[in-house]
Amino acid sequence: MIFVYGTLLDPACLRRKSGALRPRLVPAELPGWHRVWRDAYPTLRRGGMVKGALVRVSARNLGRLAAYEGGEYQLRGMTARLNGKPVRCRVWLK
């Protein structure tokens, strides 16, 4: 599972960038982090709570998303909350 919180929250953008035909975004939260904007794109900083979504992607789709995110963003393991329950996921951070 990937937690998305910025441009990839747009289903059309997620579909184009990942190659997934019907990505399913499930609303979720990431406790302990808040969204900030650097240049024209968001990233996360410690503190607060950020709303976003969880999405399952195949290894191929993940590779396409990694290319879209670029080398400045790194995938990190974290715990999101889905309907109040913890869910392990990965998140791109800059």
Side-chain angles (χ1 to χ4, degrees):
M1 288 278 222
I2 302 294
F3 180 85
V4 294
Y5 56 88
T7 57
L8 294 175
L9 284 172
D10 174 20
C13 179
L14 180 58
R15 190 172 39 255
R16 278 191 317 274
K17 301 304 179 185
S18 72
L21 295 176
R22 288 180 286 272
R24 183 171 172 252
L25 291 160
V26 179
E29 299 174 323
L30 190 64
W33 296 87
H34 68 278
R35 183 184 301 113
V36 296
W37 291 88
R38 290 194 55 181
D39 304 316
Y41 299 99
T43 191
L44 299 177
R45 294 289 178 255
R46 292 196 182 274
M49 173 83 72
V50 64
K51 291 183 185 256
L54 290 166
V55 62
R56 284 190 195 279
V57 294
S58 69
R60 180 173 163 248
N61 296 141
L62 182 60
R64 289 181 61 155
L65 290 174
Y68 168 68
E69 292 292 348
E72 290 185 37
Y73 283 83
Q74 303 298 315
L75 262 182
R76 290 188 44 195
M78 295 197 184
T79 302
R81 296 198 66 78
L82 175 63
N83 297 322
K85 296 180 181 163
V87 176
R88 290 295 299 159
C89 64
R90 293 189 282 172
V91 180
W92 270 287
L93 292 177
K94 187 173 187 177

